[in-house]
């Protein structure tokens, strides 16, 4: 048994040594006395979340799949695994476990958490899937462990740190306009990473923030300070943009829209790629409004960009164009 698990739960829990139960194609299931449940409980307690964890089912070799209201989450349970999130529309985002955590194969706790135990001297990682989000938590067991945890992303996803500290995951979509053949492009929000938090075993918040390293998100956790009680739970939480969805256009794309360069069919083509045929029809009808708003953005000083927002309700019957500035508008 890994000695650091004893620090997490002793003396309240009596441990029973038991052989690991290995299930081909999935995670081992926690047996009575196994520390997996205790580790999952630490994460749940630190988060304060009451959301029910969605049970994952075996699917092929080293894969667990949890089906949610907005799509599915596939967890590679092999050592140093990863998480792949697929929306109902079929778009995927992959997030690797932190590079600094040397983990073994996953074990599934009794509450459905998927626990990757770290090697001696390494952090543990816990994946919890709910209908609203997916949490990938890192448990830092001592001051000897890293203060930086790097989560690699899909190479086609560009992370952008927002003003509140959260991260938007943008994916460039490109399509040829049906009437002109001209390439039409925009950035769609593939998902979001919530504002980071980290909390020690006494419930005290530990300073933390995100940094970017190419196509990776780095959570910096300043846990090497006086008074910190271990373990520390650090928590990036992913969610897909379910209610409101967006297409963000940069400066060049905004200028093209303002000049009507893509035409209504061009805008419809990019909307079809982002939101399907219903959204394409709505964008076609709203072309004039988008062009007007793009003109306002383009003529602003300093110049801004245009974006469109729609609501993922039962019926998409409108879009809202608006102007914006900041890191997305480049």
């Amino acid at each position: 048994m890994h000695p650091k698990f004893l620090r997490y739960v002793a003396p309240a829990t009596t441990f029973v040594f038991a052989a690991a139960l290995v299930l081909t194609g999935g995670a081992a299931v926690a047996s009575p006395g196994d520390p997996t449940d205790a580790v999952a409980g630490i994460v749940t307690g630190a988060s304060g979340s009451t959301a029910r964890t969605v049970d994952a089912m075996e699917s092929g070799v080293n894969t667990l799949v949890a089906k949610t209201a907005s799509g599915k989450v596939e967890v590679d349970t092999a050592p140093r695994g990863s998480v792949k999130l697929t929306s109902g529309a079929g778009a995927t985002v992959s997030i690797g476990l932190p590079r600094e955590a040397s983990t073994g194969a996953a074990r599934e706790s009794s509450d459905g958490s998927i626990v990757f135990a770290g090697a001696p001297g390494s952090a543990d990682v816990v994946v919890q899937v709910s209908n609203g989000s997916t949490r990938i938590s890192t448990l830092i067991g001592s001051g000897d462990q890293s203060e930086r945890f790097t989560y690699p992303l899909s190479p086609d996803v560009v992370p952008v740190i927002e003003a509140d500290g959260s991260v938007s995951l943008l994916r460039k979509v490109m399509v040829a306009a049906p009437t002109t053949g001209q390439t039409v492009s925009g950035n769609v929000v593939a998902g979001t990473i919530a504002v980071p938090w980290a909390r020690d075993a006494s419930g005290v918040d530990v300073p933390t923030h995100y940094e970017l390293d190419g196509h990776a998100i780095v959570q910096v956790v300043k846990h090497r300070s006086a008074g910190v009680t271990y373990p520390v739970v650090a928590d990036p939480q992913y969610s897909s943009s379910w209610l409101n969805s967006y297409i963000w256009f940069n400066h060049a794309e905004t200028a093209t829209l303002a000049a009507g360069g893509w035409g209504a069919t061009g805008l419809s083509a990019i909307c079809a790629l982002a939101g399907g045929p219903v959204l394409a029809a709505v964008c076609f009808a709203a072309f004039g409004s988008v062009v007007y708003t793009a003109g306002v953005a383009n003529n602003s000083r300093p110049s801004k960009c245009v974006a469109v927002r729609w609501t993922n309700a039962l019926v998409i019957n409108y879009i809202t164009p608006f102007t914006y500035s900041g890191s997305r508008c480049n």
Side-chain angles (χ1 to χ4, degrees), residues 152-206:
L153 303 171
S154 311
D156 62 335
V157 171
V158 177
V160 176
I161 297 179
E162 304 292 359
D164 65 354
S166 64
V167 178
S168 292
L169 305 180
L170 304 185
R171 174 177 282 120
K172 172 82 69 180
V173 293
M174 305 178 70
V175 65
T179 54
T180 65
Q182 184 179 3
T183 299
V184 182
S185 61
N187 287 292
V188 176
V189 178
T192 58
I193 306 292
V195 176
W197 59 265
R199 200 161 291 132
D200 78 359
S202 299
V204 176
D205 289 337
V206 178

Side-chain angles (χ1 to χ4, degrees), residues 78-89:
R80 296 179 180 271
S82 62
V83 180
K84 183 169 76 171
L85 306 107
T86 304
S87 70

Side-chain angles (χ1 to χ4, degrees), residues 1-10 15 17 35 117-121 124 141:
M1 179 169 294
H2 199 298
K4 66 183 172 181
F5 285 127
L6 296 174
R7 294 202 303 274
Y8 291 168
V9 295
F15 285 89
F17 287 87
D124 310 302

Side-chain angles (χ1 to χ4, degrees), residues 86-143:
T86 304
S87 70
T92 64
V93 173
S94 293
I95 305 176
L97 301 192
R99 292 170 181 161
E100 295 78 5
S102 178
T103 63
R107 299 177 68 84
E108 189 172 9
S109 71
S110 58
D111 72 352
S113 301
I114 301 170
V115 178
F116 293 82
S122 175
D124 310 302
V125 181
V126 178
V127 179
Q128 294 177 322
V129 181
S130 70
N131 274 318
S133 62
T134 297
R135 176 180 292 114
I136 306 175
S137 301
T138 300
L139 272 73
I140 305 166
S142 74

